[in-house]
Every structure is written in structure tokens, then in C-alpha cells.
DNA sequence: GTATAAAAACTGACTGGTCGGTATAAACAC
DNA sequence: GTGTTTATACCGACCAGTCAGTTTTTATAC
């Protein structure tokens, strides 16, 4: 059955992640996970030392995917333009494109899920979330400072909090999208973020293109 | 002991709300609630038909406070200016002021908490959250359209999604603030929202004040 | 004011069931 | 034959919820 490294482990993790996004970590019992994954309890505890171990493995995988998205879209944007501002706008646009393709509300973010039940997790597990968010801040903050050097912003803004804003847009929009069952919220909010960047760094007088 | 209508009931609700914001609804057992509130199990089930009944009562109270905030700050802003754009900017500024006063990260939003465990709640309870968010969208969306009529925006934007943006800023900033233990995130993000509104509706040429 | 009765608020032991986790023995895979 | 999986039985702790009964508050009567 295990084709790659460990399909069974992945199956368990996929089932658990889906359940956690529906009902949270606490309500996601091991029994429910193994039921959905189609494995027995022995198998679960063969692959994971404990339920907390599963939580840790899930957030590590999620963070890895998240940072891959960050880096790959940043790399794509850097290939498409040499201007840091344009790179930023393209970067946001790439996520916007992906969000536009969504037809269902949004399953939710594992980080937000953990954050809502933060008291249940150990510090190492929560640190992974912090590190991931800090990486977004640092990576985009640097790019924003490049853009600010080339294109003086119309308002005095802080690069880090402007970088944080895309995380805020994602997390807030995920939540609103899920609550209202509205698949359009995410792309709309990313669009507003892109608008904001454009207006902030627009040439002061109406210059010809 | 109960001086007004029902102090005991309020004590239970306060204890429950604090616990839910720490560890989520599912992990907030009735035993823990009554332990923190200093009442017995019988008392709990005298005041609430079930744990789901508590969830319902909590979200109703939270929504009421939330809409009170919306309406009172909107009323204050409308007194301070007659221009819809200025009213919007003042409105956001009032929340910004309150957020600046924070010294601790942020305990979290009950709506976000419920949303992360949405599968646990009945539709009536979730509808209260939807209704509250829709009210924000409608109330602010109308104000934004007034502003758009008076001050043609520099970009073509949708009034409703622009109204949603403050909810997104709140929810996203709450989450980031809690994750990073950074009390400044909320006011910073509200500041960016205010900046965005200013830039969107700024006079096209540099006009004299 | 004091006796009385009804209503409201509260008590805490108890129930059946689920929780995370363990144990064991036998099957299956490469 | 080692690594993986199944099946099932089991454990103590905790879960939401019940219930028979006690205490406190309030309303009424004299």
C-alpha cells in the first residue's frame, strides 16, 4: 500500500487536517481520524507518538507548503519584472489569480485553527506558526523597502506592517469567506491590497506612461 | 448575590468566554467553566439548557456588543463631520485609538473562534455571526457609496468589499497579534485601511485645502 | 413585623458514554 | 525477518447532562 515514503501516514494526516478545519483540533478525536482515514488505532499510534505529535507534524507540513508558495511566487514575480514594486504587484496578483479560481467558500487555515485553540498546543508547535509569519514579514518587508527606495511612497508607512498586511488579508478573508460562504472574498481583499500598494507608490503628479 | 437581573449567569458567561478564547469551545468543558466561575454543575444547567445553549447565549451577547460598537462609533463620527468620507476616516480612527490603548496581544474574537470550529455549532448560532458581518457590510457599504458619490474614487472599487475590508483587517490583525504576541498589529492594520480610504478618495490634482 | 407559601436559585453525587493511549496476538509486505 | 497493518479488548480520566433535594429570595397575609 505505501507507494512513496509513507502513504498511510499521509492519508492519516490528510484526514486529520480536513477534520481539524471543520471542527477544530480538540473535537477531532483520534477515533474520528482513523475512521475517516480507514486505518486502525494501532496504525495511528505506530506513525504518531501521540495526538500532539500529529498536531506538530501537520503544522510542519502546512508551514512548509506555505513557505513554498511564498518563495515560488516571489521567484516567478522576480522573473517577470526587475522593478521591486512591479514584483510586489505581480506577487499579489499571482495569489489573486489562484483565489479567483476558487468555487467553494474556503476550508480555512490550519494556523488560524491552531491559533483559536492556542492553549492546547506546546510552545514548539506554536513557534512554527510564528516563524512562518515572521518569514513572510521579513521577505516581503525587504522587497517593500526596495520599492520604497525606488518609488517614494505618498504616505509614511512602516514596511513590516505593510508586509504583514497580506497575511492579515489572507487570514481575515479566509474567515469572512467561510462565515459568509462567499468564495469571492479572498480575491477581492487581495485586490484591495494590490490597489493600496499601487496608490501608495504611484507617481505624485500625473506622469505619462 | 444576584444584584441586577442575573449576576451568576453573567459570571458563568464571562468565565466561559475567556476559556473559549484560550482553548476553543470544544476543549472548554462545563467542568472547567464552573470551576473558573466558582459555581456548581447544577447551577450551570439551571441557567443554560445545554452547552450548546451557552454557545448561543455567548454569541448573541458578543454580537450585541459588536453592533453597539458599530452604531455608537458611527454616530460619533457623524456628529464630528458632515462629509461621508470624513465620517468614514473618523470612524476607523476611533477603533484605531482604542486599539492603540492595548498593551496585551489580543485575547481573540469569539466569531473567529466559532468559525474555526464551525462544525460544532447549529445553523442558528452561525447565522448570528453571518448577520452581524452582513450588518457591518451594509452599514459601511452605504456610507462608502455616499463617499463615492461626493468624491470620485481614483480606482473602480466595489463598496461592499471595501466595507468588508475593515472586518478582514480586524479578524486578520487579531489573529496575527495573538500569534506573534504583538499588541501593535491591530492599530497598524486599521491605519493601513484608513490610508487606503484616503488615497482612494483623494482629490486627483493637488488641490488647496 | 412576623408567619407562611410559592418560586427561584443552587447543590453535588451520579450516569452512560467518549477521550487519549496501551496491550496483545496474528496477518501481511518486501 | 523486519517493518507495517489489522483486530479487539482494555484502562483511568474526563465528558455532557440528570436528578432528588436544599437553600435563598420573593410575594402574600395578618
Amino acid at each position: 500500500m505505501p507507494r512513496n515514503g509513507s502513504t498511510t501516514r499521509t492519508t492519516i494526516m490528510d484526514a486529520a487536517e480536513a477534520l481539524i478545519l471543520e471542527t477544530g483540533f480538540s473535537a477531532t478525536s483520534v477515533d474520528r481520524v482513523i475512521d475517516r482515514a480507514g486505518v486502525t488505532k494501532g496504525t495511528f499510534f505506530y506513525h504518531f507518538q501521540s495526538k500532539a505529535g500529529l498536531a506538530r507534524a501537520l503544522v510542519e507540513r502546512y508551514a512548509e507548503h506555505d513557505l513554498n508558495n511564498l518563495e515560488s511566487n516571489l521567484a516567478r514575480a522576480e522573473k517577470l519584472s526587475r522593478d521591486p514594486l512591479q514584483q510586489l504587484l505581480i506577487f499579489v496578483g499571482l495569489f489573486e489569480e489562484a483565489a479567483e479560481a476558487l468555487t467553494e467558500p474556503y476550508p480555512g487555515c490550519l494556523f488560524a485553527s491552531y491559533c483559536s485553540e492556542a492553549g492546547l498546543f506546546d510552545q514548539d508547535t506554536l513557534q512554527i506558526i510564528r516563524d512562518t509569519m515572521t518569514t513572510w514579514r521579513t521577505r516581503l518587508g525587504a522587497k517593500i523597502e526596495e520599492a520604497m527606495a525606488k518609488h517614494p511612497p505618498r504616505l509614511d508607512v512602516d514596511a513590516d506592517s505593510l508586509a504583514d498586511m497580506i497575511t492579515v488579508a489572507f487570514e481575515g478573508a479566509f474567515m469572512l469567506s467561510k462565515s459568509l460562504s462567499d468564495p469571492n472574498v479572498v480575491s477581492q481583499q487581495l485586490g484591495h491590497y494590490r490597489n493600496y500598494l499601487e496608490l501608495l507608490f504611484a507617481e505624485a503628479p500625473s506622469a505619462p506612461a
Side-chain angles (χ1 to χ4, degrees), chain A residues 117-138:
Chain A
E117 301 175 274
L120 303 177
F121 302 99
D122 52 56
Q123 283 308 308
D124 290 349
T125 299
L126 296 176
Q127 189 61 42
I128 293 166
I129 298 175
R130 272 193 287 275
D131 288 346
T132 307
M133 289 177 171
T134 305
T135 301
W136 277 71
R137 175 190 280 180
T138 305

Side-chain angles (χ1 to χ4, degrees), chain A residues 15-183:
Chain A
E17 187 172 309
L19 285 168
I20 289 171
L21 294 180
E22 286 168 20
T23 59
F25 180 75
S26 186
T28 299
S29 67
V30 175
D31 283 343
R32 275 201 257 281
V33 171
I34 64 175
D35 188 54
R36 181 181 285 216
V39 300
T40 62
K41 212 159 190 178
T43 301
F44 179 92
F45 283 101
Y46 175 78
H47 286 287
F48 302 98
Q49 175 211 350
S50 64
K51 199 190 170 192
L54 168 69
R56 174 72 174 269
L58 282 174
V59 81
E60 278 172 356
R61 186 178 72 164
Y62 200 86
E64 194 190 319
H65 289 175
D66 191 54
L67 293 180
N68 277 348
N69 264 336
L70 168 66
E71 295 300 340
S72 72
N73 279 350
L74 212 42
R76 285 175 66 190
E78 282 167 350
K79 272 191 189 168
L80 291 168
S81 173
R82 294 182 61 180
D83 178 66
L85 174 58
Q86 289 307 313
Q87 290 171 354
L88 274 171
L89 297 174
I90 292 167
F91 175 79
V92 178
L94 290 171
F95 286 102
E96 222 175 313
E97 260 181 32
E100 272 164 16
L102 288 176
T103 55
E104 288 171 28
Y106 199 83
C109 169
L110 196 70
F111 292 163
S113 197
Y114 279 36
C115 185
S116 294
E117 301 175 274
L120 303 177
F121 302 99
D122 52 56
Q123 283 308 308
D124 290 349
T125 299
L126 296 176
Q127 189 61 42
I128 293 166
I129 298 175
R130 272 193 287 275
D131 288 346
T132 307
M133 289 177 171
T134 305
T135 301
W136 277 71
R137 175 190 280 180
T138 305
R139 288 292 270 136
L140 294 183
K143 185 66 72 183
I144 286 168
E145 280 181 1
E146 280 181 59
M148 285 165 91
K150 261 200 160 184
H151 313 266
R154 308 185 76 145
L155 293 172
D156 185 37
V157 292
D158 170 57
D160 278 353
S161 73
L162 192 53
D164 282 346
M165 200 174 171
I166 192 170
T167 305
V168 166
F170 271 122
E171 295 297 341
F174 288 165
M175 193 261 183
L176 205 63
S177 171
K178 197 178 173 189
S179 278
L180 300 178
S181 300
D182 181 350

